[in-house]
Amino acid sequence: MTERKRGGGRRAQLRYVVLLAVALALSAVLAACEREANPTSDEPEVTVLAPTPSATVAPATFTPEPTAPPPTPTQVPQAVEEPPPFPTPDIDLTDYSIYGETLLEAFAEDAGRLPDAPHYFIQVRLLPGEVPSLEGVQRVRITNQEETSLTELYFRLYPNLPAYGGAAEVSRALVDGKAATVGDLFDGTAVFIPLEGGLSPGATTDVTLWFRATLPTQVNAGTAGAGLYGFVEGVYDLAGFYPTLAVYDHRGWDLDAGARFGDSLFADSGYYQVELTVPEALTVVASGSTVAREPNDDRTTLWRIAAGPVRSFYAAVTDRWEAISEEVDGITVNSYYPVGGLASAQTALGHTTGSLAVFNRMFGHYPYRELDVVPLPTTAFGMEHAGLLALAASFYTEAGGGFGIATPHEVAHQWFFNLIGNDQPDEPWLDESVANYAVYLYYEAVDWPQMQTALLENVFRYRYDAARNLGIDRPVSGAVAGFDQSNYINIIYSKGPLFLHAVRERIGDEAFFAALLDYVQSYRYGIAYAEDLLDVFRRHSGTPIDDLIAFWIYGE
């Protein structure tokens, strides 16, 4: 790929392009992270597992004496275990210095801010073919941050979710250098590793997993995958390809498989060093920053990438993009585009730098040196990843697209998903509703009243009124699986923002923006739940807001 530099000064052009895009977007299904829902009935309980106590085996009370000499055992040759494709990585997982290269100078201390967070070192090779695959090994340094001893560890295998349409497996495991058992759960969407003797609070263990994953080669519309994992139109889209340590919270291990639509990721912040080997003709765009590229003798390239602290690691691999770049507030923004998509990339870049500057002032500064924007063949408007925005490739055509909504929405997710994590399958409004209202705040901040009106009246209120008139209104709160095709977008992406607007009108701008900033600073790199955000609003409010919460969020 080639990289081109350009400056600012496209405001008039952007206004014209975006207003046309909004007119088109408002006639289609809105949502920066939209998925087509499949109807469901009841809202399922979250699948959580508490630590499993060791079983007690009672001794036998009677052993009969043999009536004949036992037969001579037949010598059976033992199978020779083949060596893994990757040896056990030799890496110091107590060293966080590399992450200083990925963070702005003002946030250099964040390189080691979370010493108890999962620390991943992943070596993985991309294998093209009729069914593309990945094979690799990862070491993870894991500290028990809970108040109870853990008897096992759980890892999510996201490619095995029906919505992703791929497959993944863990073939072998080591715990502190010793061979460990690997057990499958829930049709392989999770694996567990028993811990001999348990892991006491504050204790640390070192887990090595050898894994393999295959990629689907078509977009499955109406699913959480929706082209967000797989190999389509020349792009390897690597979301959640590695075994991801599950979250242990107040309910135990959270292993909810989620719905076929909406977002599936729920993860703690962590540190990632990734060595990704790909054919030499391909370029990697990933979370964090590339710290080195090394050519191999077999016509492949080893990409060394570091990212952290981040919510997850993501990479897109292709030979079909070029890029333009611009710097804002010390952050390099790279906007990638396919052949013929330069004008679209400029539009995406303008909205990215503009909303990034606004949100830096509004929510606290984005801490990383880099933010990437890429086009993906997804049926959604876009998808958030740590340090990377994925927008629909269909936007990068002569028909254009909804950059004016999708881009600032995904930029907002860098705060409300990445810096502040939440249980996306169980509480989707906590990041989606906030990110969609942030789009309105962006246009308000840059004094674009036409866009403010388009969003507030023609998107939020129009779609919420439609839900009420059709009899499909429901509370904003609830798991993705409790929604269906008729109301997920209307409620999460329109009614949720209206709740935030109602709170703002009740408590005033000063308190509202102080609460948002407090929320970000209080839960930065952590996980928040709905009541955490609501309590922050309560603390900053000089007037009661529980009636608004009851009406909009819980439907009481």
Side-chain angles (χ1 to χ4, degrees), residues 40-273:
T40 58
S41 54
D42 299 326
E43 195 169 298
E45 296 292 331
V46 178
T47 303
V48 294
L49 295 179
T52 305
S54 301
T56 302
V57 180
T61 56
F62 172 73
T63 303
E65 296 202 10
T67 56
T72 302
T74 303
Q75 297 295 323
V76 179
Q78 297 296 313
V80 178
E81 184 177 355
E82 294 186 5
F86 291 87
T88 303
D90 183 12
I91 181 74
D92 181 5
L93 292 177
T94 64
D95 181 6
Y96 298 87
S97 58
I98 193 172
Y99 303 105
E101 300 180 40
T102 73
L103 296 162
L104 295 172
E105 185 176 352
F107 297 92
E109 292 184 356
D110 289 1
R113 176 174 174 171
L114 307 174
D116 293 339
H119 192 176
Y120 293 79
F121 180 79
I122 304 173
Q123 293 176 311
V124 61
R125 180 183 295 119
L126 173 63
L127 302 173
E130 184 175 350
V131 180
S133 63
L134 298 154
E135 63 178 19
V137 60
Q138 71 178 32
R139 273 184 63 186
V140 193
R141 184 175 186 268
I142 300 168
T143 299
N144 182 1
Q145 303 179 64
E146 312 307 323
E147 297 180 353
T148 184
S149 181
L150 301 177
T151 57
E152 60 272 317
L153 296 173
Y154 291 83
F155 291 84
R156 305 298 308 274
L157 299 182
Y158 285 106
N160 286 340
L161 292 176
Y164 280 66
E169 64 176 355
V170 174
S171 59
R172 64 194 298 260
L174 300 178
V175 176
D176 294 327
K178 298 180 180 179
T181 302
V182 180
D184 285 339
L185 289 172
F186 310 124
D187 295 327
T189 62
V191 296
F192 68 93
I193 313 295
L195 299 175
E196 184 178 347
L199 188 66
S200 59
T204 298
T205 190
D206 188 308
V207 177
T208 304
L209 304 175
W210 282 263
F211 66 92
R212 182 180 177 89
T214 59
L215 304 173
T217 55
Q218 63 183 9
V219 174
N220 296 315
T223 68
L228 300 171
Y229 172 74
F231 176 60
V232 179
E233 296 180 11
V235 180
Y236 296 92
D237 188 1
L238 309 183
F241 66 88
Y242 57 93
T244 304
L245 182 66
V247 172
Y248 187 101
D249 61 11
H250 57 285
R251 300 166 297 188
W253 290 102
D254 194 301
L255 302 173
D256 184 13
R260 292 186 62 88
F261 60 99
D263 293 315
S264 302
L265 180 67
F266 182 28
D268 289 304
S269 287
Y271 296 90
Y272 293 82
Q273 293 183 57

Side-chain angles (χ1 to χ4, degrees), residues 362-363 416 420 429-431 433-435 437-438 441 476 496-520 522-523 528-550 552-554:
M362 195 174 289
F363 307 138
F416 307 107
I420 304 176
W429 79 271
L430 198 54
D431 65 302
S433 297
V434 177
Y437 188 61
L441 298 178
V476 173
L498 287 176
F499 160 71
L500 296 168
H501 197 66
V503 170
R504 179 184 174 186
E505 289 182 326
R506 173 75 62 85
I507 70 177
D509 281 5
E510 182 178 354
F512 180 80
F513 288 107
L516 284 180
L517 184 59
D518 183 5
Y519 176 60
V520 174
S522 297
Y523 294 96
Y529 296 86
E531 282 300 314
D532 295 323
L533 174 60
L534 299 176
D535 282 344
V536 171
F537 280 131
R538 290 184 181 106
R539 288 201 307 270
H540 285 268
S541 173
T543 183
I545 61 170
D546 283 344
D547 60 321
L548 298 178
I549 295 171
W552 292 96
I553 302 300
Y554 299 118

